[in-house]
């Protein structure tokens, strides 16, 4: 019997059974694709939620912070800036920093002596703003705890020295050593006259936690790309690839003579 005749002998029932089997296989593949797609979506959503949580910081800690208490002498919008230098200086350096931020430490290490020279000579005033970006990105509370301690040092008139000590003794980014108040108080021992009962109480009680949280909110609302953000008379100089301590000094001196 020829192949053609054989095909003609196939019953309608056989063809229907074959079509049903084919339909079942197609439907099975469709379910696998739908379930697989759903799993991918769930994983993607979980990733987005994870990123949002990582960048939000510890909202619970912020909500449980006490009343907002700005450190002594803080100025600017909502008293969120800690000023260093003479008010009469013609140039203003605005610095947004996080004490856990490695790039902030690199900036401080490179520019510290020049900034000190310019502030002490009355040519430059600096407005420090504190952020807690790394707490959100790496988890932990070291940025917040260190910023509060620095604000406590400002109350004692010791902010510049303690600010430098914190960056000089910055732990690795993944090491949340600054989360321990005992470590921050220990480092305060490197600043003459800072380790007092008042300072300890301020650090351990989180006196300026709410102020730090508000400062970080201002950082988030400022449209800045990260820390450090350094502005000289309103112009972002940290993004200037040609900027050096010598060039900063030249720009300040030019403004001072104008």
């Amino acid at each position: 019997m020829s192949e053609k005749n054989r095909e003609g002998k196939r019953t309608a029932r056989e063809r229907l059974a074959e079509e049903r089997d084919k339909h079942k296989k197609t439907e099975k593949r469709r379910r696998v694709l739908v379930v697989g797609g759903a799993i991918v979506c769930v994983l993607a959503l979980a990733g987005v939620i994870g990123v949002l949580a990582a960048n939000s910081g510890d909202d619970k800690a912020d909500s449980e912070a006490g009343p907002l208490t700005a450190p002594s002498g803080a100025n600017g919008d909502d008293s969120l800036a800690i000023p260093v230098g003479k008010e009469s200086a013609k140039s203003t350096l605005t610095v947004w920093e996080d004490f856990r931020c490695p790039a902030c430490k690199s900036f401080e290490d490179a520019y510290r002596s020049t900034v000190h020279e310019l502030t002490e000579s009355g040519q430059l005033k600096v407005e420090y703003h504190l952020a807690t970006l790394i707490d959100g990105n790496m988890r932990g509370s070291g940025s917040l705890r260190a910023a509060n301690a620095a604000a406590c040092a400002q109350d004692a008139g010791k902010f510049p020295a303690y600010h430098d000590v914190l960056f000089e003794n910055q732990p690795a980014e993944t090491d949340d050593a600054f989360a321990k108040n005992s470590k921050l108080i220990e480092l305060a021992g490197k600043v003459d006259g800072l380790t007092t009962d008042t300072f300890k109480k301020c650090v351990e009680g989180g006196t300026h936690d709410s102020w730090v949280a508000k400062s970080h909110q201002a950082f988030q609302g400022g449209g800045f790309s990260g820390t450090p953000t350094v502005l000289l008379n309103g112009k972002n100089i940290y993004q200037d690839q040609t900027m050096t301590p010598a060039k900063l000094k030249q720009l300040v001196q030019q403004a001072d003579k104008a």
Side-chain angles (χ1 to χ4, degrees):
M1 184 182 292
S2 70
E3 186 66 27
K4 183 177 180 180
N5 289 336
R6 254 199 233 79
E7 181 63 26
K9 292 289 187 180
R10 297 179 66 184
T11 66
R13 180 178 297 176
E14 289 173 333
R15 289 198 298 273
L16 180 60
E18 188 174 276
E19 288 298 321
R20 285 176 177 171
D21 184 58
K22 187 184 297 183
H23 176 74
K24 287 180 180 179
K25 290 179 180 179
T26 301
E27 184 64 19
K28 183 177 180 180
R29 285 197 300 271
R30 187 187 70 79
R31 286 198 301 270
V32 168
L33 290 173
V34 169
V35 172
I39 291 173
V40 170
C41 289
V42 169
L43 291 175
L45 179 59
V48 170
I49 292 173
V51 170
L52 291 175
N55 285 291
S56 67
D58 193 345
D59 294 333
K60 182 179 179 182
D62 290 348
S63 66
E64 293 179 355
L68 194 150
T69 304
S72 176
N75 61 19
D77 293 342
D78 296 323
S79 297
L80 294 178
I82 295 179
V84 174
K86 297 179 179 179
E87 183 60 32
S88 60
K90 291 185 178 181
S91 290
T92 301
L93 194 70
T94 304
V95 183
W96 291 86
E97 291 183 316
D98 182 328
F99 287 110
R100 286 181 70 186
C101 164
C104 297
K105 174 176 170 57
S106 295
F107 168 76
E108 287 294 333
D109 289 347
Y111 286 82
R112 182 179 295 115
S113 60
T114 299
V115 170
H116 283 327
E117 178 186 347
L118 293 171
T119 55
E120 290 168 4
S121 66
Q123 299 176 79
L124 177 71
K125 58 178 177 287
V126 185
E127 294 180 347
Y128 289 98
H129 296 261
L130 306 181
T132 58
L133 189 66
I134 306 301
D135 281 357
N137 292 343
M138 302 298 295
R139 310 306 294 166
S141 61
S143 299
L144 171 62
R145 299 264 48 83
N148 173 68
C152 294
Q154 170 66 12
D155 288 338
K158 304 284 185 179
F159 174 83
Y162 189 60
H163 163 275
D164 291 352
V165 164
L166 288 176
F167 278 116
E168 288 166 353
N169 292 272
Q170 184 189 79
E173 187 177 14
T174 54
D175 180 4
D176 197 22
F178 282 170
K180 296 181 179 179
N181 289 329
S182 58
K183 177 64 175 179
L184 297 169
I185 292 172
E186 174 190 332
L187 290 174
K190 297 179 177 289
V191 179
D192 291 341
L194 180 55
T195 312
T196 62
D197 290 341
T198 300
F199 174 78
K200 292 178 182 177
K201 183 178 179 181
C202 181
V203 172
E204 293 170 346
T207 298
H208 300 296
D209 283 1
S210 292
W211 176 83
V212 174
K214 188 168 185 179
S215 178
H216 182 67
Q217 289 173 1
F219 168 78
Q220 290 179 312
F224 304 121
S225 59
T227 54
T229 291
V230 186
L231 312 174
L232 178 63
N233 299 325
K235 181 180 179 180
N236 193 327
I237 63 169
Y238 190 73
Q239 294 179 342
D240 183 352
Q241 299 298 316
T242 67
M243 187 57 60
T244 63
K247 184 175 179 179
L248 172 61
K249 184 176 181 180
Q250 181 182 27
L251 291 174
V252 171
Q253 290 176 338
Q254 287 174 349
D256 191 52
K257 294 176 181 177

